[in-house]
């Protein structure tokens, strides 16, 4: 193998006095930009290349105080975009060290700094631009006739990578929670992501670095969610639309193709409705369950349209969303080595319970159908290397369970709970569930059903 770029001995620091003024103490931004421009590289290409610092540690004590072994983001040896946001941060995480030259490049007022911000929000964009810039760097100084004779060894390299990963052996850094549940490489779409369970999922993903598009038919709800919860290190973006029709799902997928040409890594089908207004026990009372006539009269109050509307959103819409977004998910998988994209469907324990779901036959039946649809999607997507998992929650505060939300897009519940946990679901319960499935630690999960329900299905009649 011919070494084209880099130095053979990378375990020793460069002797003092050899580096230009662009590096070390007193580093000068423009000198560095000019050095790379002289070799034909733009500021944005330089910003893309320097993202490789995401995986690095210092081999030797640096003059500016970076110790031997010092890391340049909180997830060394992990190929992600945390380096960009943490280099730009006014207060980087403890144990993260920054070169002065990197800090100069990260200045948001500069062209490279703007690229830093873009890459921090768009992992797929960075991966594609790094690949192009690194290829350009690899052939720098090589004549065109030699370049023309080079052989593409990508397939061989991927085989070697897979063989290495197949051992399953990990060092302590790789099993840290910050690595297993990091979402900084994710671009996600969460339907119904501005309120209720959808907002809980959105918050968890964004708080751990993901770029999240949230859908809703209500623009004001989307705007409020972004205003309140778009606090980083990831980002939230509005995607207005209707997921209850095939046309609406196709439009959303087409819009995402324009916004994210490198694909996405996660689709959360969370949007859902309940239309058993005429029969649910909470507002209509429960009939005498020993009287066949009373049971019949009570449940025949249900209307055909209530069933049709429920299934249209809770089953049909989820089917068309999953099918429309499959190509984007497959494309997104290609830009994150060692990761497989996934669909996470938010169903309900109502689809597993054997009772009437407190008088909500249409809702519970639709959730049972949705859970089985997820099994079918998992089988259908398997050879495309896109996973499908299910979250089947117990009772969580949402607009569906409480009837509305407050000015924080949150809902509140004041009800007794009969589950072993003795309470309703919390935001953190849902956050832990989605992080387990969405992060790198969840890539071995496929066609699984998670039940964050406080043990409800343990003590009440249910099948799993």
């Amino acid at each position: 193998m011919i070494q084209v770029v880099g130095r053979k001995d990378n375990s020793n620091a460069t002797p003092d006095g050899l580096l230009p003024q662009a590096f070390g103490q007193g580093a000068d931004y423009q000198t560095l930009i000019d050095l790379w421009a002289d070799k034909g590289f733009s500021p944005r290409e330089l910003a893309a290349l320097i993202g490789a610092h995401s995986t690095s540690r210092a081999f030797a004590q640096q003059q500016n105080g970076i110790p031997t072994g010092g890391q340049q983001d909180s997830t060394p040896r992990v190929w992600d975009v945390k380096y960009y946001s943490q280099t730009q941060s006014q207060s980087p995480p403890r144990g993260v060290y920054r070169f002065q030259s990197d800090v100069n490049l990260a200045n948001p007022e500069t062209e490279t700094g703007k690229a830093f911000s873009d890459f921090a929000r768009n992992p797929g964009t960075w991966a594609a631009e790094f690949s192009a810039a690194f290829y350009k760097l690899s052939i720098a100084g090589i004549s065109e006739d030699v370049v023309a004779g080079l052989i593409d060894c990508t397939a061989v390299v991927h085989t070697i990578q897979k063989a290495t990963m197949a051992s399953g052996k990990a060092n302590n850094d790789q099993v840290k929670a910050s690595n297993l549940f990091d979402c900084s490489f994710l671009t996600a779409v969460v339907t119904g992501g501005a309120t209720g369970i959808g907002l809980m999922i959105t918050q968890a993903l964004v708080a751990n670095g993901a770029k999240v598009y949230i859908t809703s038919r209500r623009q004001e709800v989307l705007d409020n969610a972004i205003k309140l919860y778009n606090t980083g290190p990831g980002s939230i973006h509005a995607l207005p639309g209707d997921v209850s029709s095939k046309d609406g799902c196709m439009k959303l997928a087409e819009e995402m193709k324009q916004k994210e040409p490198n694909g996405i890594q996660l689709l959360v089908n969370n949007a859902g409705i309940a239309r058993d207004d005429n029969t649910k026990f909470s507002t209509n009372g429960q009939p005498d369950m020993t009287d066949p006539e009373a049971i019949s009269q009570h449940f025949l109050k249900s209307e055909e349209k209530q069933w049709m509307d429920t299934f249209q959103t809770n089953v049909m819409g989820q089917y068309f969303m999953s099918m429309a977004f499959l190509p984007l998910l497959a494309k997104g998988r290609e830009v994150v080595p060692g990761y497989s994209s996934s669909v996470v469907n938010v169903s309900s324990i109502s689809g597993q319970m054997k009772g009437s779901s407190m008088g909500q036959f249409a809702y519970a039946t639709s959730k049972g159908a949705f859970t089985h649809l997820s099994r079918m999607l998992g089988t259908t997507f398997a050879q495309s290397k896109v996973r499908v998992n299910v979250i089947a929650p117990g009772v969580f505060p949402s607009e569906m369970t409480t009837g509305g939300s407050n000015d924080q897009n949150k809902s509140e519940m004041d009800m007794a709970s009969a589950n072993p946990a003795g309470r309703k679901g919390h935001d953190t319960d849902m956050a832990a569930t989605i992080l387990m499935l969405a992060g790198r630690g969840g890539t071995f999960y496929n066609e699984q059903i998670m039940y964050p329900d406080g043990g409800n299905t343990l003590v009440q009649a249910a099948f799993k």
Side-chain angles (χ1 to χ4, degrees):
M1 179 181 292
I2 299 175
Q3 183 174 327
V4 178
V5 179
R7 63 185 186 213
K8 182 177 181 181
D9 178 11
N10 62 357
S11 61
N12 297 309
T14 303
D16 293 342
L18 293 187
L19 288 175
Q21 190 62 29
F23 302 93
Q25 294 180 330
D28 174 69
Y29 172 81
Q30 193 58 48
T31 299
L32 185 56
I33 295 299
D34 292 343
L35 283 170
W36 282 84
D38 184 57
K39 303 300 180 183
F41 289 85
S42 70
R44 188 174 177 91
E45 288 173 322
L46 170 57
L49 287 167
I50 207 168
H53 281 182
S54 173
T55 66
S56 67
R57 290 181 183 273
F59 281 103
Q61 178 75 32
Q62 305 293 312
Q63 290 182 351
N64 57 1
I66 300 179
T68 301
Q71 59 200 54
Q72 293 181 264
D73 74 2
S74 58
T75 54
R77 301 179 185 170
V78 177
W79 193 255
D80 58 25
V81 293
K82 284 190 175 182
Y83 161 80
Y84 288 112
S85 59
Q86 292 174 2
T87 303
Q88 285 191 318
S89 173
Q90 295 298 318
S91 52
R94 184 178 179 182
V96 171
Y97 299 89
R98 303 179 297 181
F99 290 112
Q100 184 58 51
S101 54
D102 290 13
V103 174
N104 292 345
L105 291 173
N107 184 339
E109 299 300 320
T110 65
E111 190 172 347
T112 52
K114 292 174 182 177
F116 269 51
S117 300
D118 187 19
F119 295 148
R121 293 190 301 266
N122 300 283
T125 299
W126 171 63
E129 293 192 29
F130 175 87
S131 177
F134 194 79
Y135 175 75
K136 182 176 177 179
L137 179 65
S138 299
I139 61 173
I142 302 177
S143 63
E144 292 183 5
D145 58 327
V146 172
V147 171
L150 295 177
I151 299 173
D152 186 349
C153 299
T154 303
V156 177
V157 173
H158 283 181
T159 301
I160 295 171
Q161 288 178 334
K162 289 177 181 178
T164 303
M165 293 168 61
S167 69
K169 296 177 181 178
N171 57 45
N172 284 2
D173 281 335
Q174 291 168 319
V175 294
K176 287 180 178 178
S178 58
N179 285 339
L180 293 176
F181 308 118
D182 166 50
C183 297
S184 63
F185 61 93
L186 285 176
T187 298
V189 173
V190 181
T191 67
T195 62
I197 288 175
L199 179 55
M200 299 175 199
I201 289 172
T202 297
Q203 285 182 263
L205 295 172
V206 169
N208 288 276
K211 180 180 184 181
V212 183
Y213 290 87
I214 54 176
T215 78
S216 175
R217 287 178 286 193
R218 297 173 291 170
Q219 184 68 52
E220 70 279 5
V221 173
L222 293 172
D223 293 341
N224 199 42
I226 293 172
K227 174 184 175 183
L228 294 169
Y229 303 107
N230 194 21
T231 57
S235 58
I236 308 176
H237 307 266
L239 191 66
D242 183 2
V243 301
S244 67
S245 70
K246 179 180 180 180
D247 184 59
C249 296
M250 297 299 291
K251 285 181 178 178
L252 287 171
E254 188 58 38
E255 185 173 352
M256 282 302 298
K257 287 178 184 177
Q258 303 303 315
K259 292 179 178 293
E260 299 294 338
N262 295 309
I264 66 173
Q265 288 75 41
L266 176 65
L267 169 66
V268 180
N269 284 316
N270 164 76
I273 63 172
R275 292 291 184 267
D276 293 283
D277 299 329
N278 299 353
T279 59
K280 61 183 181 181
F281 298 161
S282 61
T283 55
N284 299 282
Q286 182 175 352
D288 180 356
M289 302 306 285
T290 67
D291 183 346
E293 189 67 30
I295 295 172
S296 176
Q297 289 181 3
H298 180 89
F299 285 106
L300 283 175
K301 295 175 183 176
S302 181
E303 299 292 340
E304 291 179 5
K305 189 175 189 309
Q306 293 172 322
W307 281 80
M308 297 297 289
D309 288 349
T310 302
F311 268 75
Q312 181 173 346
T313 297
N314 294 0
V315 184
M316 185 195 75
Q318 321 292 18
Y319 167 80
F320 284 119
M321 279 295 290
S322 300
M323 289 300 180
F325 275 79
L326 177 60
L328 277 165
L329 289 161
K331 184 176 288 187
R333 171 182 57 79
E334 296 173 356
V335 300
V336 183
Y339 185 82
S340 56
S341 299
S342 70
V343 178
V344 173
N345 288 329
V346 181
S347 184
S348 170
I349 60 168
S350 295
Q352 311 298 127
M353 308 296 284
K354 296 181 180 179
S356 70
S357 191
M358 297 299 290
Q360 299 183 96
F361 264 81
Y363 174 75
T365 305
S366 75
K367 289 300 183 176
F370 186 24
T371 298
H372 188 62
L373 169 67
S374 302
R375 297 186 184 101
M376 297 172 70
L377 291 172
T379 302
T380 304
F381 293 175
Q383 294 184 56
S384 298
K385 307 299 183 185
V386 173
R387 298 172 291 120
V388 181
N389 291 299
V390 175
I391 300 176
V395 179
F396 279 73
S398 68
E399 291 186 337
M400 184 183 298
T401 54
T402 68
S405 57
N406 58 25
D407 58 3
Q408 303 294 305
N409 283 18
K410 296 285 185 177
S411 303
E412 299 178 7
M413 301 188 74
D414 185 18
M415 297 169 53
S417 296
N419 61 40
R423 63 173 175 83
K424 305 305 181 188
H426 292 168
D427 294 14
T428 50
D429 300 319
M430 188 54 60
T433 307
I434 189 61
L435 291 178
M436 178 179 177
L437 294 175
R440 284 186 171 87
T443 54
F444 206 52
Y445 288 83
N446 200 354
E447 200 249 336
Q448 301 299 302
I449 306 175
M450 313 296 289
Y451 295 97
D453 69 348
N456 205 338
T457 52
L458 178 68
V459 296
Q460 299 203 32
F463 70 95
K464 295 184 179 178

